[in-house]
Amino acid sequence: MASLSRSPVRQRGAFSGLFTGSPLQISRRLARSVPVAVAVYLVIVYAIIQAALTGAEAMGYNWQWYRIPDYFYRLTDDGFEIGEIMLGLGKTIALSTQAFLLAVLIGLIVALLRLSGLFIGTRVAIVYLEFIRNMPLLVLLYVFYYVLGPIFDLNRYIASILCLGVFHSALISEIFRAGINAVHTGQWEAAKSIGMSTTQSYRYIILPQSIKFMLPPMTGEVVHMIKSSAIVSVIAVAELTTIGRNIIADTYMSFEIWFTIAAVYMVVTLALSVVVTFVEKRYAVIT
């Protein structure tokens, strides 16, 4: 009972702590406060929607929101039918998943090369990273599709997976490198003292321990991959953004479709962001 009686006081003290200290400290606490962040986000979204509504009204735009549910699902004589937007979302998730797995594989190889201590391996990894990180994603996509595609007979879907995988592998390799370097050097010494090779040390000692350091930023990279996948619409890969453009070309419902596509992306990325936040909190004490 005593602990219950103290809990409201403790909660009031924690809330009032937001407004103690210097103005700079108060502003930083407010910026990190979840309610404040949500409020700012809602204000921005409201401003964008209000601006769009004002512009559409000035144009005499005829809203047709009643047609949007048909692009998610339909109930026909043959039963339940999935709409084009949900099909596009499925293609986006499939594309992002395949590209992410490729990025993880390439990123791990590049990170191990850079940490190998070999002159050639280190230089190759550095050149690769500098080239990819300084290349715009759109230009890299054109290189894979219009240059490498005809040479190696790559269709637009495979070119998109390779492009996204290579681009994000540069970012993921740095996550791998940071996670491996975060493992205490004593673990290397212990592995060598029992006669393990470098490969065995990585497999059984270093990589398993580095997972707790890499998992939060790696889950954040999944969110980044989902958002980056929209760029493949410029080469007409059938994913969510391309589906939206095709629907607009048929119906001229520009405002409704783009608002809906943006909302779908937002729901997916926010759901993944919740997972990222959970993972970061789960490993905050360990890291």
Side-chain angles (χ1 to χ4, degrees):
M1 293 299 292
S3 61
L4 290 176
S5 62
R6 287 197 299 267
S7 60
V9 176
R10 188 181 301 113
Q11 291 175 0
R12 287 196 299 269
F15 180 78
S16 61
L18 287 173
F19 303 97
T20 59
S22 66
L24 180 59
Q25 291 173 335
I26 294 174
S27 63
R28 288 177 177 175
R29 292 194 197 101
L30 289 175
R32 293 194 296 265
S33 174
V34 174
V36 173
V38 172
V40 171
Y41 178 78
L42 291 177
V43 168
I44 294 174
V45 171
Y46 174 78
I48 293 174
I49 293 176
Q50 193 63 33
L53 291 175
T54 303
E57 184 179 356
M59 295 167 53
Y61 188 79
N62 181 29
W63 295 96
Q64 303 180 61
W65 285 108
Y66 65 91
R67 299 178 60 183
I68 294 299
D70 292 338
Y71 295 105
F72 285 91
Y73 68 92
R74 302 185 190 91
L75 295 177
T76 63
D77 295 336
D78 298 328
F80 182 82
E81 182 179 339
I82 298 177
E84 290 90 336
I85 290 180
M86 295 306 296
L87 290 174
L89 177 60
K91 295 289 183 62
T92 292
I93 294 175
L95 173 69
S96 301
T97 301
Q98 293 170 328
F100 182 76
L101 294 176
L102 177 62
V104 168
L105 177 61
I106 299 175
L108 178 60
I109 294 173
V110 173
L112 294 178
L113 282 175
R114 191 169 182 183
L115 295 170
S116 64
L118 302 174
F119 179 83
I120 297 298
T122 303
R123 293 299 179 273
V124 168
I126 291 176
V127 170
Y128 175 85
L129 290 174
E130 292 300 321
F131 178 78
I132 298 300
R133 286 190 298 192
N134 290 285
M135 175 78 70
L137 179 55
L138 181 59
V139 175
L140 188 64
L141 179 62
Y142 286 154
V143 169
F144 270 95
Y145 183 60
Y146 291 110
V147 178
L148 300 181
I151 296 175
F152 297 101
D153 193 23
L154 304 175
N155 60 40
R156 63 190 67 202
Y157 188 78
I158 298 299
S160 299
I161 292 177
L162 293 176
C163 172
L164 292 172
V166 168
F167 182 80
H168 285 271
S169 68
L171 307 174
I172 290 177
S173 69
E174 292 299 284
I175 296 175
F176 274 116
R177 188 169 68 91
I180 291 171
N181 286 334
V183 178
H184 196 276
T185 55
Q187 299 297 316
W188 284 103
E189 298 171 357
K192 291 181 180 178
S193 67
I194 60 176
M196 282 189 173
S197 64
T198 301
T199 302
Q200 290 174 328
S201 300
Y202 270 117
R203 180 178 178 182
Y204 297 108
I205 305 296
I206 305 303
L207 288 178
Q209 294 187 61
S210 65
I211 290 177
K212 64 178 180 290
F213 302 105
M214 297 186 294
L215 196 53
M218 197 71 77
T219 50
E221 194 60 29
V222 175
V223 178
H224 190 190
M225 178 70 77
I226 293 288
K227 293 186 290 186
S228 297
S229 65
I231 201 170
V232 303
S233 63
V234 300
I235 58 173
V237 174
E239 46 78 58
L240 185 57
T241 304
T242 305
I243 294 296
R245 292 171 59 183
N246 293 341
I247 295 174
I248 291 172
D250 293 335
T251 63
Y252 300 100
M253 296 191 303
S254 301
F255 285 97
E256 295 93 333
I257 297 300
W258 284 132
F259 274 129
T260 303
I261 296 298
V264 171
Y265 273 116
M266 184 182 69
V267 169
V268 173
T269 54
L270 283 179
L272 291 174
S273 297
V274 171
V275 176
V276 171
T277 303
F278 172 78
V279 171
E280 288 178 348
K281 291 181 177 179
R282 172 66 177 82
Y283 290 98
V285 177
I286 300 177
T287 56

